[in-house]
Amino acid sequence: MHELGVVFHIIDQVEEVAAENDVTRIDSVTLQLGEVSTVIPSYLTDCWDWAKKKHELLLEAKLVVEKIEAVTFCEDCKQTYPTVEYGKTCPHCGSGNTYLVQGNEFMIKEIEAV
Amino acid sequence: MGTDAVRVIEIKKSVYENNDREADKLRGELKEKGIFLLNLMSSPGAGKTTTLSRTIEALRDKFHIGVMEADIDSDVDARRISDLGAWAIQLHTGGMCHLDAGMTRQGLDELTEKEVDLAILENVGNLVCPAEFDTGAVKNAMILSVPEGDDKPLKYPLMFSICDVVLINKTDVMPYFDFDLDKCREYVAMRNPNAKVIPICAKTGEGMDEWFSWLENEAKAWNAR
């Protein structure tokens, strides 16, 4: 259900950009999605394919999802590590004093349009 | 260029950007009208109804209170709110798992009409989606109840990172749940060093005065012109 709400927000923004650029048809919409952004890509695509049918500009539009790897930084040993594998605890020194540097992004990168 | 030439239009914007802009705009209007809006979040069963009821009772002589409820899972019924002396305002989410700034705006006219100066938005009962969408509220609060566990801040980091205040409710049952308050404070601070943690028991009233004065001070500071 979260994915559907998010799709509505994407469509609103894409339509806004389309209007500014006199677009008559959108072929694809590319998103950049962090690994830990709470959005599941396959659900997102399903919601997209359902919702796009209600928008004339988007009837043919394919959703492209580029994944951004989640990386966490350790304040104590100043090293980074993959978040999905190790979570909040640094695998180098065992500290929990860590924060996410990338991986929660949810961006609309670009559209291909006519 | 032919009429059918495909071009790439760069957008590079967060999916949440439009909502963030709407939320800022709404906050500006609330400021102008002298309405303090608190976004209250929690898991289902954390004690939102009881906490809200006690809060209305404590502050109803100082503020015109309005409670905005989401239709999807409102657990505070409108009649109870009215009986306590606050306005109940219904928002329509269309079944969504979160409230966004556009939905909150639905209640703005009614808040204005009823001269509400302290509004509480009862968000949808989950700890994931509501954290992603700025509702336009002035402050964010969440209720974490003791049975949910002291490690909840580790499981829902985003929720804790956006909260100005975390109420730890049902402190009366702490001995039965191996709930470590110090550890919980530490976990909250890891995600958000600025969050204020207030242990409360809405049922017995323990700790509630600190919460009431926090809310009163924040609302008065916002509404002062």
Side-chain angles (χ1 to χ4, degrees):
Chain A
M1 202 136 60
H2 182 58
E3 278 73 8
L4 185 58
V6 159
V7 160
F8 292 148
H9 280 273
I10 297 170
I11 290 177
D12 282 351
Q13 296 206 32
V14 165
E15 285 189 328
E16 213 172 89
V17 171
E20 284 162 14
N21 290 277
D22 297 320
V23 161
T24 55
R25 187 188 82 213
I26 295 171
D27 289 344
S28 76
V29 174
T30 304
L31 305 177
Q32 289 175 314
L33 185 63
E35 274 183 314
V36 293
S37 65
T38 74
V39 172
I40 301 169
S42 64
Y43 291 3
L44 192 68
T45 313
D46 286 350
C47 291
W48 175 262
D49 289 338
W50 176 81
K52 73 178 188 184
K53 297 194 189 100
K54 301 178 187 325
H55 299 263
E56 209 174 318
L57 284 177
L58 296 167
L59 290 172
E60 311 284 322
K62 202 173 90 183
L63 191 70
V64 181
V65 180
E66 293 179 2
K67 194 175 89 174
I68 298 177
E69 196 198 343
V71 176
T72 296
F73 178 76
C74 173
E75 294 245 54
D76 288 339
C77 74
K78 313 287 179 204
Q79 295 187 75
T80 60
Y81 63 88
T83 313
V84 173
E85 198 174 338
Y86 299 104
K88 58 165 185 75
T89 308
C90 176
H92 306 296
C93 72
S95 165
N97 191 12
T98 58
Y99 65 87
L100 191 73
V101 278
Q102 64 167 62
N104 61 354
E105 297 81 358
F106 193 10
M107 306 279 294
I108 308 172
K109 186 188 176 193
E110 60 193 25
I111 60 173
E112 281 184 308
V114 175
Chain B
M1 197 164 47
T3 47
D4 242 344
V6 174
R7 51 196 167 126
V8 173
I9 303 170
E10 193 175 86
I11 300 182
K12 286 219 180 239
K13 269 169 54 172
S14 163
V15 170
Y16 306 112
E17 196 171 302
N18 277 18
N19 184 62
D20 290 347
R21 197 171 56 221
E22 278 304 307
D24 282 338
K25 205 173 129 205
L26 183 59
R27 250 187 306 277
E29 288 171 50
L30 290 169
K31 177 79 187 165
E32 228 166 79
K33 291 170 185 285
I35 303 171
F36 177 85
L37 176 62
L38 179 82
N39 176 24
L40 183 62
M41 297 169 286
S42 79
S43 307
K48 210 154 38 171
T49 308
T50 313
T51 308
L52 205 51
S53 303
R54 296 291 92 79
T55 307
I56 294 169
E57 285 165 358
L59 297 178
R60 64 187 167 198
D61 295 335
K62 294 173 176 163
F63 296 95
H64 293 148
I65 303 176
V67 177
M68 296 202 277
E69 300 175 33
D71 52 3
I72 188 171
D73 73 340
S74 186
D75 48 31
V76 184
D77 83 79
R79 189 178 297 167
R80 187 159 171 196
I81 297 290
S82 313
D83 287 349
L84 289 167
W87 298 103
I89 296 164
Q90 188 72 54
L91 302 180
H92 301 284
T93 61
M96 285 297 155
C97 53
H98 59 265
L99 291 171
D100 61 26
M103 295 176 204
T104 312
R105 177 170 287 282
Q106 294 171 11
L108 187 63
D109 285 346
E110 214 173 327
L111 290 177
T112 314
E113 192 187 303
K114 301 200 155 113
E115 298 182 343
V116 167
D117 51 6
L118 170 57
I120 300 170
L121 177 65
E122 189 207 340
N123 213 316
V124 177
N126 86 63
L127 300 181
V128 182
C129 326
E132 308 258 26
F133 288 91
D134 189 338
T135 57
V138 181
K139 295 283 172 185
N140 293 312
M142 77 157 294
I143 306 173
L144 162 65
S145 64
V146 163
E148 295 170 65
D150 52 27
D151 58 349
K152 210 138 199 191
L154 303 178
K155 295 176 180 163
Y156 299 90
L158 184 64
M159 172 57 71
F160 288 87
S161 71
I162 62 150
C163 277
D164 300 287
V165 62
V166 177
L167 300 174
I168 298 179
N169 192 23
K170 309 190 187 179
T171 50
D172 55 336
V173 296
M174 217 174 266
Y176 306 103
F177 285 92
D178 284 333
F179 188 98
D180 188 329
L181 187 58
D182 291 334
K183 224 178 225 165
C184 189
R185 280 182 191 277
E186 187 188 312
Y187 293 150
V188 172
M190 265 165 74
R191 297 304 161 216
N192 182 356
N194 300 318
K196 187 175 174 59
V197 175
I198 308 177
I200 60 165
C201 182
K203 196 174 140 197
T204 64
E206 191 193 335
M208 292 295 275
D209 285 341
E210 191 184 351
W211 156 241
F212 299 149
S213 28
W214 181 86
L215 187 56
E216 185 181 344
N217 291 338
E218 291 290 339
K220 283 191 171 154
W222 175 261
N223 294 347
R225 305 182 193 210

